[in-house]
Amino acid sequence: MTDFVEYVTDVVHEPTQTDSPGFDLTVTAVYEVVEPGRIDFGGGELDPAGVTPHASEKRDPDDDYEWWTLRGGQYLIEYNESLTGEATVTLQPRTELLERGATHPTLHVDALPRVPLSVGGAGLRLKANARISTIVGAEETPSAGGE
């Protein structure tokens, strides 16, 4: 069994994030795409989309963490965690996310980009540091592990 924690940095709470198969990743920011990006054939006219942070708020003044209220639509999420770059990992949405009508693509990455989040028509309330994704596989980078 792979110990995925060796490929992850900036972990929020390791015991909770490793209490099921894989390694859970947590959300630190949600963004709305407000201006279109550009993609061309050769990459010379490649421009990022314009994004703005989605507002969040505490449900109670005594809460430590805020919540995002997301309407149905597309967002970009950012993780608390980072990857070491020593492996390409397979990242998929957690079942808890899927069962609430939201999802993101399964990815094979060696760094954590902002990931598109699709939220169903009823919307989603998402708390800061919620576990929304799971690393389910890792393949070490050929140059990792020493030569």
Side-chain angles (χ1 to χ4, degrees):
M1 188 162 134
T2 304
D3 183 12
F4 298 115
V5 74
E6 67 183 281
Y7 306 119
V8 182
T9 61
D10 306 316
V11 175
V12 173
H13 188 258
E14 185 179 332
T16 303
Q17 291 175 259
T18 58
D19 72 352
S20 58
F23 187 94
D24 294 335
L25 300 177
T26 61
V27 63
T28 189
V30 176
Y31 296 91
E32 294 181 49
V33 177
V34 294
E35 295 289 332
R38 248 182 5 199
I39 301 174
D40 68 322
F41 180 78
E45 298 176 77
L46 190 63
D47 285 322
V51 297
T52 187
H54 188 75
S56 61
E57 62 186 14
K58 293 183 177 183
R59 289 192 317 176
D60 182 282
D62 295 330
D63 285 347
D64 289 333
Y65 299 100
E66 295 189 350
W67 291 76
W68 293 281
T69 299
L70 306 177
R71 294 185 180 138
Q74 296 287 324
Y75 301 88
L76 290 175
I77 55 170
E78 192 171 288
Y79 297 103
N80 284 298
E81 297 79 15
S82 301
L83 298 178
T84 64
E86 296 177 9
T88 297
V89 302
T90 301
L91 174 71
Q92 68 184 30
R94 291 189 78 223
T95 301
E96 291 79 357
L97 187 69
L98 298 171
E99 289 176 344
R100 283 145 187 88
T103 191
H104 66 68
T106 296
L107 301 171
H108 305 284
V109 295
D110 61 5
L112 290 175
R114 290 181 179 162
V115 173
L117 176 69
S118 298
V119 176
L124 177 69
R125 290 187 179 89
L126 184 63
K127 189 174 184 179
N129 299 331
R131 295 178 294 149
I132 59 171
S133 306
T134 302
I135 294 173
V136 295
E139 184 176 315
E140 288 204 14
T141 305
S143 63
E147 290 189 18

